[in-house]
Amino acid sequence: QVQLVESGGGLVQAGGSLRLSCAASGRTFSRNPMGWFRQAPGKEREFVAAINWIGGSTYYADSVKGRFTISRDNAKNTLYLQMNSLKIEDTAVYYCAASRLLGIVVVTAQYDYWGQGTQVTVSS
């Protein structure tokens, strides 16, 4: 079992930056591929970014490529999402997730553990 707790959300103006963190506890965090997802009101949860267990491989949704950076510090059991050049359409609840699969995982259904989410609101 892996417990995940997100933090770092908040209100920011368009063009600004935020860094989300996801603290993991429980079974060995460093073995799990991790990801960030988001869900806006009235929309389905969507993939944002993923990283493999060692941090050497990453993958991004086209909508955030070049603006967001996913990273992890296995020594601190923490996953990060650096979000730059934020847009109003980035407003959503952001979730971190961990998978029991190997490699890099981009499919929502293949994630086994989820955090409770943190709200990101981008204003004009």
Side-chain angles (χ1 to χ4, degrees):
Q1 192 78 5
V2 175
Q3 291 79 43
L4 304 171
V5 179
E6 302 95 336
S7 61
L11 176 63
V12 63
Q13 286 191 322
S17 298
L18 281 175
R19 188 175 83 155
L20 306 183
S21 298
C22 173
S25 61
R27 67 189 291 269
T28 307
F29 164 81
S30 62
R31 301 290 186 180
N32 297 94
M34 304 284 293
W36 287 98
F37 292 77
R38 65 187 182 187
Q39 187 167 18
K43 295 188 177 181
E44 293 187 354
R45 190 171 299 189
E46 65 174 2
F47 168 78
V48 174
I51 190 167
N52 69 339
W53 73 273
I54 201 170
S57 294
T58 58
Y59 190 81
Y60 297 92
D62 288 342
S63 58
V64 307
K65 200 173 296 183
R67 300 187 298 121
F68 290 11
T69 302
I70 187 172
S71 62
R72 66 191 296 166
D73 185 337
N74 288 342
K76 295 182 178 180
N77 288 344
T78 304
L79 177 73
Y80 302 100
L81 184 69
Q82 178 66 45
M83 305 186 295
N84 298 329
S85 302
L86 282 161
K87 303 176 180 179
I88 293 175
E89 51 263 42
D90 293 319
T91 296
V93 177
Y94 283 71
Y95 299 89
C96 69
S99 174
R100 290 180 291 185
L101 298 178
L102 300 176
I104 194 162
V105 182
V106 302
V107 177
T108 308
Q110 292 179 333
Y111 279 86
D112 303 286
Y113 308 104
W114 293 84
Q116 83 290 346
T118 186
Q119 176 70 47
V120 172
T121 303
V122 184
S123 64
S124 58

